Amino acid sequence: MKPIDLGTAIGDNYVITVSHESISFVDELYEECKVIEERMSHPGLILHSLLDHCVDDYAEIVDNIESRVEKMERGIYRHPHIRIAQEIFQLKRTMHQLRRIIAEEKTILSTLSHHDFPYTEQEDKVYFIDIYDHISRVVDSLNIFRESLTCLLELQMSMNRIA
C-alpha cells in the first residue's frame, strides 16, 4: 500500500517517465499511443492519462485503508481488550506518509488546472480540474481516516475502563 513512484519530464513533443519498477499502466499507455495517434496530439494528453491513473491508484489505496479502519472498528466493538494500538499507530504513520506525498501532487495538479501550462491546451484544463477534485477527495479521506483512528484508540481506552 504505497503510492506509485513515477518521475515525469514533459516538453514540446515528449513525455518521459522514470520509475524504479515496472508500472503496468505506463506500458499500456505507451501501447495505446502507438495505436491511437490522437493520444499523442500533444504532451498534455499523455500527462493527463498518467496523472489520472496515479490518482485512481490513490483512490484504491484509500478504499483499502477504509476497509482496514472498518475492520478495526468491528474488532474493538466485539473485543474491547483486543491489542490493536500498534496496528493503528502503524496505519497512521503510513497514512501520514501517503498524505504528504499526495498533498505535494495535489499542489502540482492545482498549478496544472488553474494556470497556463505550456504543454497542455486550454480545453485540457477541465480534465486536470477533474483530477484535482479527485485527489482532493483522496486527501480529505486520509484526513478523516486519521481522525477515525485517533477516535478508535480513545474508544478502546474508554471501553477498557468501563469493562
Side-chain angles (χ1 to χ4, degrees), residues 8-156:
T8 306
I10 187 170
D12 286 335
N13 61 356
Y14 64 87
V15 175
I16 299 171
T17 60
V18 180
S19 178
H20 294 288
E21 54 197 63
S22 178
I23 301 173
S24 62
F25 73 78
V26 173
D27 297 334
E28 292 166 12
L29 179 60
Y30 175 73
E31 292 302 320
E32 193 177 301
C33 286
K34 289 191 324 189
V35 175
I36 305 169
E37 284 186 34
E38 295 84 38
R39 297 289 279 161
M40 296 192 321
S41 62
H42 63 281
L45 285 177
I46 296 170
L47 180 63
H48 170 266
S49 291
L50 290 170
L51 293 172
D52 192 38
H53 278 287
C54 288
V55 173
D56 286 347
D57 284 351
Y58 298 153
E60 207 173 297
I61 290 170
V62 165
D63 289 344
N64 289 335
I65 290 171
E66 182 177 27
S67 296
R68 286 182 66 186
V69 170
E70 288 173 356
K71 183 180 175 186
M72 287 180 204
E73 287 173 347
R74 287 190 304 273
I76 289 174
Y77 279 116
R78 290 183 185 136
H79 309 286
H81 299 291
I82 190 171
R83 293 184 179 254
I84 202 165
Q86 184 175 355
E87 185 179 355
I88 289 174
F89 285 124
Q90 181 182 8
L91 185 56
K92 282 183 79 166
R93 204 170 25 256
T94 300
M95 287 175 29
H96 176 73
Q97 292 167 341
L98 280 171
R99 190 189 178 292
R100 187 174 35 83
I101 292 166
I102 294 171
E104 288 174 17
E105 292 181 19
K106 180 181 171 188
T107 302
I108 293 168
L109 277 163
S110 175
T111 302
L112 287 172
S113 60
H114 296 98
H115 298 89
D116 288 332
F117 186 64
Y119 308 114
T120 61
E121 295 182 358
Q122 188 64 28
E123 59 268 11
D124 295 336
K125 275 190 177 189
V126 69
Y127 301 117
F128 287 105
I129 289 171
D130 183 55
I131 297 172
Y132 176 80
D133 290 343
H134 198 176
I135 203 168
S136 294
R137 287 191 302 274
V138 167
V139 171
D140 291 345
S141 293
L142 289 173
N143 290 337
I144 290 167
F145 296 144
R146 190 172 56 197
E147 289 176 24
S148 293
L149 290 173
T150 299
C151 291
L152 277 178
L153 281 174
E154 292 171 359
L155 173 67
Q156 185 178 32

